[in-house]
Amino acid sequence: EYGPFIYRFDAAGSLVASGATAARAAEVSRTAREKVEVAVVEYQAGRFDQARKYLEEALATDPSDAFVNYNLGNVYYLQGRFAEAEKL
């Protein structure tokens, strides 16, 4: 769990954040955890460029964060950036 959101995967394998909304994403400040929260909202909305941006920023803060690495890899994969996805 990061902040007020609870992350899980649904039956189709998509990342789901309980209680996450686009309005909430706009309100949060950009600490590392909050960047992850915003990234999840952007990911769910299909805005993968924005999700990537926030995940990359969060990864710069903590390169060992498994949640961030995994989800950034997923975003890279969805964008066809396979070489970058493999590095994570």
Side-chain angles (χ1 to χ4, degrees):
E1 179 176 320
Y2 282 85
F5 300 139
I6 298 171
Y7 305 106
R8 63 179 174 78
F9 291 94
D10 64 14
S14 296
L15 183 65
V16 177
S18 301
T21 64
R24 169 75 176 125
E27 293 173 8
V28 297
S29 64
R30 302 302 188 242
T31 66
R33 276 194 183 165
E34 290 167 336
K35 287 178 183 182
V36 172
E37 293 172 356
V38 174
V40 170
V41 172
E42 298 293 353
Y43 181 99
Q44 288 179 325
R47 293 185 293 263
F48 301 121
D49 283 336
Q50 287 298 322
R52 179 180 46 82
K53 172 188 162 197
Y54 290 114
L55 288 167
E56 287 174 342
E57 290 174 8
L59 189 65
T61 302
D62 183 3
S64 66
D65 187 316
F67 183 85
V68 173
N69 276 283
Y70 177 81
N71 288 291
L72 183 55
N74 284 339
V75 170
Y76 285 152
Y77 180 83
L78 291 169
Q79 292 183 317
R81 300 168 72 159
F82 304 117
E84 290 169 286
E86 285 181 15
K87 292 176 185 177
L88 301 173

